[in-house]
Amino acid sequence: MKVVCIKEFKSTNLMYELTYGKIYDTIPITGVLSNYIKNVYKITCDRGFIEFYNKDSFVTLEEWRERQLDKILI
């Protein structure tokens, strides 16, 4: 699934950067973790590391497009 980052991320020790407004492909969470982890996306960050990020930091591509259209119309 494609999602768009709606939060500014800065690299600090263990947190890796994501870019506001950039489209990311989510990576399926499989195995035992899939039963317990529900509120995160597994994503390859801008530095190439695979990390878990809270779903609240993203919107679907469709929602992002809708938000952009709303900005133009206002």
Side-chain angles (χ1 to χ4, degrees), residues 4-12 15-22 24 46 53 56-58 64:
V4 181
C5 180
I6 58 169
K7 181 178 176 185
E8 296 285 342
F9 282 90
K10 301 292 181 197
S11 181
T12 57
M15 287 294 291
Y16 298 106
E17 292 180 358
L18 296 174
T19 303
Y20 176 86
K22 183 175 178 180
Y24 293 91
D46 294 345
Y53 292 95
D56 293 341
S57 300
F58 302 90
W64 175 257

Side-chain angles (χ1 to χ4, degrees), residues 29 31-40:
I29 300 171
V32 175
L33 286 178
S34 65
N35 295 327
Y36 300 102
I37 299 178
K38 301 291 183 196
N39 200 31
V40 296

Side-chain angles (χ1 to χ4, degrees), residues 5 9 13 15 21 24 26 29-31 35-36 40-45 51-52 57 59-60 62 69:
C5 180
F9 282 90
N13 296 333
M15 287 294 291
Y24 293 91
T26 60
I29 300 171
T30 59
N35 295 327
Y36 300 102
V40 296
Y41 288 126
K42 187 176 176 183
I43 292 177
T44 302
C45 73
E51 293 290 328
F52 292 98
S57 300
V59 294
T60 63
E62 295 80 22
L69 287 172

